[in-house]
Amino acid sequence: MLLAMAAIAFAATAQQVICHRGYWNIEGSAQNSLRALVKADSIGAWGSEFDVWMTADGTLVVNHDESYGGVVIETAKWKQLKKMRLKNGEPLPTLDKMLDCGKKLTTKLIVEMKPHASKEHEREAARKIVKMVKDKGLEKRVEYITFSYAGMKNLKQMAPEGTPVYYLNGELSPAQLAQLGMAGIDYNIKVMRDHPEWIDEAHSLGMKVNVWTVNSDRDMEWCINYGVDFITTNAPERLQQLLAQ
Ligand code: MG
């Protein structure tokens, strides 16, 4: 009983806020922009997430969709993309620029490697991402997430021992991911509502639970009450308010 109460008390204070694609839905910001990363840091968010693709000629580009301005990133040359601008006027960021920006901040950098059509290309993307993070001395500040099954295994293998890698796709149980050495599950709120038992299962395996994209008060309260570890949201300041209550 005492242990259970201690566990609940711990859970009630343990949630960490992760800004989904940075803190973007405010004046002057944009999804996956340097500004959004700076804004996430400025409100004291535990982490800030962004998405990474690799061009055909090996430039790592920060963007959510597979294409930007009608150009498919994976099969494009960087010169086709480098003059493009985000909604807030910033140039389309490279991972290089994003990590340099993050280096001056303290928020964790949650790097999502997108599933590339070519698994060979994706493997090379994983290798380059891990190397760039190492070269910039950011290994302790970065966690990896991906929808790609092959990608999570590559990231796990290539990143230094102990680097957290989370799987996003939602079909594997914590026990299955534990066997692959993953740090935990990072699943959609709908998946978690269907599988609330995965929260305790993950915790009993020493794994963490991250849930996305948690934007409504109702979903935020569900995550808080169930004691998930990380909540990824487009409304980080609202979540901070609820967590402070
Ligand atoms: Mg993402």
Side-chain angles (χ1 to χ4, degrees):
M1 181 64 189
L2 269 177
L3 261 181
M5 283 172 67
I8 288 165
F10 178 73
T13 55
Q15 275 87 26
Q16 304 285 10
V17 177
I18 297 175
C19 294
H20 179 240
R21 306 179 199 169
Y23 191 6
W24 55 269
N25 48 6
I26 44 172
E27 184 71 31
S29 193
Q31 293 189 10
N32 281 316
S33 65
L34 302 182
R35 186 77 189 143
L37 176 58
V38 170
K39 283 306 225 180
D41 186 74
S42 75
I43 60 161
W46 181 87
S48 190
E49 182 261 2
F50 52 86
D51 306 288
V52 179
W53 292 91
M54 188 170 79
T55 62
D57 54 352
T59 299
L60 296 163
V61 178
V62 176
N63 189 58
H64 179 263
D65 294 346
E66 64 178 1
S67 63
Y68 196 78
V71 177
V72 176
I73 298 170
E74 182 176 348
T75 51
K77 296 249 171 76
W78 171 238
K79 69 174 185 203
Q80 295 171 260
L81 292 157
K82 71 178 187 186
K83 292 205 174 108
M84 291 192 181
R85 302 265 155 183
L86 301 181
K87 286 204 171 102
N88 68 344
E90 280 180 34
L92 180 66
T94 58
L95 180 65
D96 186 61
K97 290 272 177 2
M98 204 68 158
L99 294 180
D100 283 347
C101 176
K103 203 165 175 173
K104 299 178 210 134
L105 310 172
T106 57
T107 194
K108 287 263 188 191
L109 306 169
I110 313 302
V111 178
E112 177 177 350
M113 183 179 73
K114 301 305 283 189
H116 291 61
S118 159
K119 289 300 143 186
E120 215 170 293
H121 193 66
E122 184 186 280
R123 188 179 164 79
E124 182 61 8
R127 195 189 64 75
K128 284 195 175 229
I129 291 168
V130 168
K131 182 173 188 304
M132 189 177 282
V133 166
K134 178 176 191 245
D135 290 348
K136 292 183 186 294
L138 286 167
E139 289 173 318
K140 296 250 153 53
R141 293 269 312 286
V142 164
E143 301 194 358
Y144 295 108
I145 61 176
T146 186
F147 281 95
S148 167
Y149 183 82
M152 79 169 151
K153 293 203 287 185
N154 287 334
L155 288 164
K156 177 71 194 163
Q157 189 207 341
M158 293 169 183
E161 182 74 33
T163 305
V165 181
Y166 291 84
Y167 188 52
L168 296 165
N169 209 38
E171 84 284 16
L172 297 179
S173 70
Q176 288 172 303
L177 289 169
Q179 288 193 333
L180 298 169
M182 297 303 128
I185 54 174
D186 187 354
Y187 285 173
N188 186 286
I189 179 70
K190 293 187 201 81
V191 172
M192 292 314 298
R193 281 181 176 276
D194 286 343
H195 289 283
E197 76 282 3
W198 280 354
I199 298 168
D200 281 349
E201 183 184 324
H203 288 160
S204 71
L205 292 162
M207 301 167 89
K208 301 281 190 192
V209 177
N210 189 346
V211 186
W212 52 273
T213 306
V214 180
N215 297 327
S216 68
D217 282 18
R218 187 171 155 269
D219 285 344
M220 287 178 184
E221 279 158 4
W222 189 93
C223 289
I224 293 167
N225 291 336
Y226 270 87
V228 311
D229 304 286
F230 305 99
I231 302 173
T232 300
T233 181
N234 291 331
E237 289 191 282
R238 177 59 185 154
L239 177 56
Q240 286 175 329
Q241 281 175 354
L242 290 180
L243 285 169
Q245 278 171 16

